[in-house]
Structures are given as C-alpha cells and as structure tokens.
Amino acid sequence: SVIGHGNEKVINAIKNQVGKLIACHSSLYNDTRAELIKKIVSITPKGLDSLFFTNSGAESVETAIKLARKYTGRKEIIAMMRSYHGKTFGALSVTWNSKYRSPFLPLVPGVKFVPFGRSDKVRKVITEDTAAIIVEPIQGEGGIFVSPDGYLKELKEISDEKNIPLIFDEVQTGFGRTGKLFACEHWNIAPNILCLAKAAGGGFPLGLTIAEKHIMSSLGIGEHSSTFGGNPVTCAAASASLDVILGEKLWEKAEVSGNYFKGRLTKLADKCKIIREVRGLGLMIGAELKFDVKDIITGMLEKGVIVLSCGTHVLRFLPPCIITTEQIDEIVDKLEFCLVEKEQEKYAVNE
Ligand SMILES: *Cc1c(COP(=O)(O)O)cnc(C)c1O
C-alpha cells in the first residue's frame, strides 16, 4: 500500500462503516460509495468520469477488455511483451509471461504481443478487428521498465487515429507511488480506459475500471456486474485512504524519497559490481543484478526487510510513500551487506 499499515483514519473509517452497513449491491445507491466516486472522478485524468467497481486488479482488467470489445464490436487486443495484468483468464491472456500462461492454455484468442516501448510495432499489427491497446505506463512485474519518452503519446495518437481504445493498467503505479498521482501524468497522456487496484482500497480489496462516458455506456444493464464490487466497507477504506494520500500529498513524498532511494542504490551499484542497473520512478524501483536474486531476497527477509523480485534477476522495491530517510538508509545498508556476502561467496567458489 502507499499509505502504510495501521493508518488511524483508515481504521476508524472501516470500523465506523462496519457498524452502519457492510454489504450493498452496486445496483443500489449507497452514500459512502457516492462520496468515493465523487473524490475519484475529481482526481482522474480529464474525460475519465465513469467508474466500475471490482475487487481486484485482474477484475479491473477483465472489465476493461470486455468494455473495449463491447464498445468497438471488435475482438483483437494488442498487449506488450513483459506485460503483467493479472491471472483470471482475460487478464492472463494479455499477460506475457509463459510461466503463468502455459498451464492454462488455451486462453482468450486474438491477443498480439509487441515489444514494450515500440509504437511502430503496434501500428504493424493493427487490423480492422483491433479492439484495444493495453499497456502499463511503467511495467512492474515484468522488471520495472519505464515508458520511453514519446511512447505513450504515440500510442495515444494511434488510438485516436484508428478509434481504438487505449487502456492504461495502473494497478501497480496508481495513487502516488511513482511520484505522480497516476503514472500517466509523467507524460501528460490520458487513456480512454484506466485500470486501478492495489493501493486503491487502502489495504482493502478494491479494483476500479474508469472509462470515458461514451465507452462505459456501451455496457447494457446487467451485462457486467460484481456482487461485492464497491461494497460500503471497501469504499469507506478507499475514501479515507484517498484523503490521506491527497492531504499529505504522498506522491510528492514518493518523488523525493524515491530520488533519494535511487541515488543510494546507484551509489551502491558503483561499489557492488553485481548490480547491473537501477531504474524506476518514485518509489517503484528495480535493481537488476547479474545473478538470480533469490538468496538476496531470503537474506533481506532474515534481516526484516521484504523485497520482491520481478523475474529472476531484478529486485523490486515498493515501500509505502511514508517511508523515512532513516528507513531507506537501513534498507540499503542491509542490502549492501547481503550483496557483499554474495559477492564473496561467488569469489570463494571461483577460487
Ligand atoms: C498486481 C497487478 C495486477 C493484478 O492485480 P490483482 O489484484 O493481483 O488481481 C494487474 N496489473 C498490474 C499492472 C499489476 O501490478
């Protein structure tokens, strides 16, 4: 999460809502939900004003795909190599990694993968039947790869020109993590459909598919629904969490702390040659090593630091935006210890 564990405001909002109303189907009006909708629409990129509530990132991607197909009446989706969009059938179908895909073939047909960062390749595979282009502005699970400058703008131009909805999956990048409220703001490009989840619910399960009104309205009544999507307790948690993010301008903290964190890791890379590259934006940082990161992750866990991997060679840091400089120092010091240990171990084996 971006706000960290145990935030009093979120805890109290949840407690309060549990005492009032726990469940309320999205076909019925609910004031807690209405309040959240108003808040979210006030911060999303211009034109994105119709919301659909789900319970996870994968579901928000499912919704986006169904929506794009319904709106266009077409069937093919263009997705990116190294993409990650979740593990339900539709979301998995636009996910690149064969480790996740191959046990579950056949998936939804009509998906074409092109290299991330290459809009010319997107142009090449467009047909009369292309329903959507889906992309993460910063690829997370795939290894922390930031969109090259100009890329999202080119995708937007293609999307406008051919009337193909552009879907941004900001499930991981949304709500401040990258130094902007939404990562697409780094390039000033708004998609036609935006997928959010992870940090959205302040720790509670919440996914959001936000689309332009004319696109969302292509879904008829009952054509897509979710019983627990947008339930009042989740909405209360999300609303309080959003208040914290906006009140404390957490994206600004993510930018400042992210630069500090990246700076320290880059300096460490000068010392430890086993770090190949440090990359990312805000507090979404990857450090690519020259070998498998498994031992480092275990070593860090033993020292009390949870580091993720993405792929076999990349360490992924996604701390809450409230992280302090002292905590970043502690993490980098512990990482240095683990890396040096590993380097010596390798050296000893070579001798
Ligand atoms: C995590 C993630 C998903 C899937 O979200 P779940 O809530 O785990 O289903 C989809 N897209 C991106 C970019 C993600 O990082």
Side-chain angles (χ1 to χ4, degrees), residues 275-324:
I275 300 181
R276 199 189 296 271
E277 189 185 33
V278 177
R279 54 181 181 251
L281 272 180
L283 285 170
M284 184 170 178
I285 302 171
E288 185 170 337
L289 306 188
K290 289 181 183 162
F291 54 82
D292 197 306
V293 297
K294 231 177 10 227
D295 292 346
I296 305 296
I297 287 180
T298 316
M300 290 296 276
L301 259 181
E302 280 163 5
K303 295 188 182 343
V305 182
I306 304 171
V307 186
L308 303 170
S309 65
C310 38
T312 52
H313 283 52
V314 183
L315 292 170
R316 178 166 48 147
F317 301 92
L318 296 168
C321 301
I322 55 166
I323 193 168
T324 63

Side-chain angles (χ1 to χ4, degrees), residues 212-265:
E212 293 168 339
K213 194 163 269 138
H214 66 283
I215 294 180
M216 189 64 88
S217 60
S218 67
L219 277 178
I221 302 282
E223 276 182 346
H224 191 60
S225 65
S226 167
T227 298
F228 289 120
N231 71 79
V233 183
T234 298
C235 286
S239 200
S241 167
L242 196 49
D243 287 346
V244 174
I245 293 169
L246 297 175
E248 297 181 21
K249 292 199 163 72
L250 285 185
W251 61 93
E252 290 182 1
K253 288 197 178 149
E255 187 189 7
V256 173
S257 302
N259 285 338
Y260 178 75
F261 202 157
K262 229 169 35 177
R264 281 226 47 192
L265 286 173

Side-chain angles (χ1 to χ4, degrees), residues 139-205:
Q139 290 188 315
E141 187 82 19
I144 311 287
F145 291 99
V146 180
S147 278
D149 283 336
Y151 176 53
L152 297 182
K153 181 166 174 274
E154 288 154 18
L155 292 184
K156 179 75 175 171
E157 282 164 6
I158 295 171
S159 152
D160 286 345
E161 193 184 308
K162 312 258 183 195
N163 197 20
I164 298 168
L166 180 61
I167 304 170
F168 284 175
D169 180 346
E170 292 228 29
V171 167
Q172 192 162 146
T173 53
F175 294 102
R177 165 153 311 283
T178 71
K180 301 274 186 197
L181 212 33
F182 302 105
C184 61
E185 293 170 23
H186 285 288
W187 299 275
N188 254 319
I189 301 295
N192 305 101
I193 304 174
L194 177 65
C195 298
L196 300 168
K198 292 207 167 97
F204 257 60

